[in-house]
Amino acid sequence: MSGVVVVGTQWGDEGKGKITDFLAEKADVVVRFQGGNNAGHTIVFENKKFALHLIPSGIFRKETLNILGNGMVINPKALIEELEMLNNAGIKEINLAISDRAHLVLPYHTILDKLYEDLKEGKKVGTTNKGIGPAYSDKASRIGIRICDFVDLDVFYNKLNDNITYYNKIFKLFGKSELRVNEVFKEYKEYSIRIKTYVKDTGILLNKELDEGKKVLFEGAQGSLLCLDHGTYPYVTSSSPTAASVPLNTGISPMFIDEVIGVTKAYSTRVGEGYFATEFEDEIAKRIRDVGNEYGTTTGRPRRIGWIDTVVLRHSKRVSGITSLSIMLLDVLTNIDILKICVAYKLDGEIIDYIPASIKDVEKCIPIYIELPGWDEDITKTTKFSDLPLNTQRYLNKINELTGVDLGIFSVGPDRTQTIVLKEMYK
Ligand code: IMP
């Protein structure tokens, strides 16, 4: 086996960072394939905490090649800041390749992100304000600036000039300050010079690694329900965080994907707007938020809390071909008397087992729950499934049964040693 994909099965923040970090140790190559610095995860390495937003988690090991794939939108300023943060922490050998086909996130994208959100008034998506949507819009409109343009300073200047001239007209219309092309160019030229050494045709590079049988880990950002195509549109991000997105966004054949790990919390969370069927807000939700430290890594926003939803998990399984589940933050559910699991929805009096396309219908879905008794034993030191309290085992077995996906990994705490692997991902 050589290609393993890690995807989020919910609305992001499932703890993918921990799993990717864990698997990155065994991988020869770690690849980000979509999104940009809207993502974020915290990695604890040699007792130091690092917040990574763009760079894959294999960066701490000099022998691991880290790739930013063609499907990403890259903010060069944020990338340089991340590289500097690593450098200041003593990580000097950076084994990084940036796709020459990836797109840039530039200052006008972040201004537009906020402007578009403000114009939506009561209908905001609740974006991370990192310019992700506008950068992907430019890509689709064929006015995006790619990394290959960025490192050719004449091309970059001309394209930047065209786009700033174009967007300044919009900024003027809405009373925003206009950007000066020479100022932006002066700043970004420095970033271009600094990243040039990492720019490659990563599609060719990655195919070579796979042909040689190297172990490749594809690190998804966000979650399946935030997918532009298969998520709860319009309350989604602007890329596809599914396993189906990997070949397109990295330039490899789908045949190279051997294993898809669906990462899920033992409950659910969501940041930003959009209906969330199993959401609840009471003392238990507050407890989960506090114990699970459910605040956004990128924006610091408190996350919305809900029970685990197996309609969502089955949907994610279908769109990504999930081969094993990784259930995270199980310890956060300790000391809750009754745990609920959503098994289906009721829509207009009818029981359904899918997520409707229309947001109007999604908002009418009433979750149908089963209830299981909780546990109050400390599970944070558990190292084996069979050592878990019986009620914890029953809870995991029920999720396994309702999703039809085997449990590959479960996690009982933030430390690497609290990650219990039931199925080896790289043979
Ligand atoms: P955008 O990706 O900034 O355009 O935001 C679109 C939606 O995706 C918003 O609801 C964000 O809160 C959500 N989102 C984007 N990135 C993440 C993430 O890494 N974790 C959780 N939610 C995210």
Side-chain angles (χ1 to χ4, degrees), residues 386-419:
S386 54
D387 287 348
L388 285 169
L390 276 184
N391 282 352
T392 322
Q393 293 189 24
R394 283 189 193 113
Y395 185 71
L396 292 176
N397 286 338
K398 191 46 100 180
I399 296 169
N400 171 200
E401 178 194 319
L402 289 165
T403 56
V405 188
D406 287 342
L407 185 63
I409 300 174
F410 69 92
S411 167
V412 290
D415 202 85
R416 269 194 207 183
T417 55
Q418 292 166 301
T419 308

Side-chain angles (χ1 to χ4, degrees), residues 110-138:
T110 29
I111 303 171
L112 288 166
D113 202 352
K114 184 158 187 331
L115 175 65
Y116 293 152
E117 282 282 89
D118 289 346
L119 290 174
K120 285 180 192 146
E121 294 178 349
K123 294 190 174 127
K124 287 185 198 318
V125 171
T127 71
T128 58
N129 269 325
K130 301 287 178 193
I132 305 300
Y136 278 116
S137 296
D138 275 7

Side-chain angles (χ1 to χ4, degrees), residues 11-14 16 37-40 113 117 125-134 221-223 226 234-239 270-274 298-299 301 303:
W11 286 271
D13 311 316
E14 297 91 349
K16 293 180 296 294
N37 62 329
N38 48 348
D113 202 352
E117 282 282 89
V125 171
T127 71
T128 58
N129 269 325
K130 301 287 178 193
I132 305 300
Q222 293 90 37
L226 289 174
Y235 299 102
V236 293
T237 190
S238 302
S239 63
R270 179 166 198 173
V271 282
E273 304 302 319
T298 303
T299 57
R301 291 180 286 182
R303 295 180 185 141

Side-chain angles (χ1 to χ4, degrees), residues 67 84 90 170 245 247 268 316 323 332 358 364 368 378:
I67 294 182
E84 273 173 5
I170 295 178
S245 151
S268 307
S316 300
T323 52
V332 176
S358 152
K364 286 194 287 181
I368 299 174
D378 176 10

Side-chain angles (χ1 to χ4, degrees), residues 37 54 74-84 104-107 110 150 187-188 191-192 194-195:
N37 62 329
L54 284 165
I74 299 170
N75 178 329
K77 186 176 181 166
L79 179 61
I80 293 293
E81 280 168 9
E82 245 173 87
L83 288 168
E84 273 173 5
L104 291 186
V105 178
L106 288 161
T110 29
F150 185 45
E187 181 184 350
Y188 280 72
Y191 304 146
S192 163
R194 287 172 68 182
I195 69 157

Side-chain angles (χ1 to χ4, degrees), residues 185-225:
F185 181 72
K186 192 165 166 243
E187 181 184 350
Y188 280 72
K189 183 178 145 192
E190 297 306 316
Y191 304 146
S192 163
I193 294 166
R194 287 172 68 182
I195 69 157
K196 194 168 182 173
T197 163
Y198 303 116
V199 176
K200 308 252 159 58
D201 185 326
T202 54
I204 292 180
L205 189 65
L206 191 55
N207 273 283
K208 188 168 166 285
E209 297 283 324
L210 285 159
D211 284 338
E212 287 171 6
K214 298 277 176 56
K215 293 172 183 153
V216 180
L217 180 65
F218 297 94
E219 176 181 332
Q222 293 90 37
S224 308
L225 272 290

